Amino acid sequence: SIWMLLVLVLDVYKGKEINISVGGRRAFYKWMAGIVSAGALYAGIAMLPFKVGNSGLTVKLLPFYTEAQVVYLSELSDMEEAEMLAKKMSLKNKYLPAVYDVLAAAAYGRNDFIKMAEYKRQSVLSQKYNTEVYERYVLLLGRGIIQAHERGDLRTAAELKGYALEIREILADVAKSTDKLAWEIRDKPELKLSRVTEEYLKWMIEW
């Protein structure tokens, strides 16, 4: 990372003093340079735990370091803590799939299937070329519909079917908006669900 690079190039003991004087403000610029150097040093040291597998400590020391937060989020076993962290992360970055996956899982655990669908939909839209994400989305919607029916909550079941109906439209829109050149390269986008998932989706919609 850029912070580690800055730390590595710091010449703490043998560096030469660089005199910067603009309009008699030499002391101010030296002071600012010192703050920047100290900040870079702190950031580099704070990232070391993450590099050796302790993402939790780095998150505490550098709460703005997104990469460490995503890893730490995936490692948390306490769903309440994971949900709190995911909500904080969603305020800063609305395009992190891991955040919405955790929020969807937490909502599912509370039997809040509508929130689950909303969060999982956001996860899908933030990685719209990953068909595995669509398939997991279909599976979660199916589980929600089944449990809603078992509770006699036909309104929730109907809303979840609405989310299910939208999936093919999302895939069609992604295919339509994809540049034509993308279909000519070797690794073409794969925007088709598996046969099993298609059958499951059909069953949900027709139920």
Side-chain angles (χ1 to χ4, degrees):
S1 66
I2 187 63
W3 293 109
M4 287 298 292
L5 182 60
L6 285 170
V7 172
L8 290 174
V9 299
L10 281 176
D11 191 1
V12 180
Y13 297 106
K14 299 179 181 179
K16 296 180 180 178
E17 180 181 358
I18 300 175
N19 294 323
I20 303 175
S21 181
V22 180
R25 302 180 66 184
R26 175 182 169 188
F28 170 76
Y29 287 107
K30 289 180 68 176
W31 179 71
M32 288 297 295
I35 290 179
V36 171
S37 297
L41 182 61
Y42 173 81
I45 293 172
M47 286 182 182
L48 288 177
F50 174 61
K51 301 298 181 182
V52 297
N54 189 348
S55 57
L57 181 55
T58 293
V59 167
K60 291 178 181 178
L61 296 173
L62 288 177
F64 57 83
Y65 187 25
T66 303
E67 186 180 352
Q69 285 183 325
V70 170
V71 173
Y72 182 56
L73 190 62
S74 68
E75 295 172 343
L76 284 173
S77 57
D78 185 334
M79 183 53 70
E80 186 175 346
E81 184 182 353
E83 185 179 14
M84 288 177 61
L85 176 58
K87 285 181 177 179
K88 288 180 182 178
M89 292 171 67
S90 68
L91 296 175
K92 296 183 292 183
N93 192 329
K94 298 184 181 299
Y95 301 98
L96 286 175
V99 168
Y100 292 111
D101 287 340
V102 168
L103 294 175
Y108 180 83
R110 294 193 302 269
N111 295 322
D112 188 347
F113 302 121
I114 301 303
K115 276 293 183 184
M116 173 204 75
E118 290 175 2
Y119 287 133
K120 195 61 182 178
R121 182 179 182 275
Q122 289 298 319
S123 175
V124 167
L125 294 177
S126 63
Q127 44 187 337
K128 56 188 179 180
Y129 288 100
N130 186 346
T131 52
E132 291 182 5
V133 176
Y134 290 89
E135 304 210 347
R136 289 195 291 270
Y137 183 34
V138 170
L139 184 61
L140 275 177
L141 288 175
R143 289 176 179 173
I145 289 172
I146 291 171
Q147 292 192 42
H149 270 287
E150 289 176 349
R151 291 178 169 81
D153 188 353
L154 301 183
R155 181 177 179 179
T156 294
E159 286 191 53
L160 293 176
K161 284 185 181 182
Y163 282 98
L165 280 166
E166 184 192 28
I167 292 175
R168 291 194 180 109
E169 294 177 11
I170 293 174
L171 285 167
D173 287 343
V174 172
K176 186 177 180 180
S177 62
T178 300
D179 193 284
K180 292 181 179 179
L181 287 175
W183 304 105
E184 298 177 8
I185 62 176
R186 182 176 179 180
D187 296 322
K188 299 178 179 63
E190 181 59 57
L191 296 174
K192 292 183 179 180
L193 301 175
S194 68
R195 182 178 59 82
V196 173
T197 302
E198 282 284 4
E199 290 177 357
Y200 191 46
L201 185 58
K202 181 180 178 183
W203 169 80
M204 280 193 296
I205 293 170
E206 294 178 351
W207 189 16

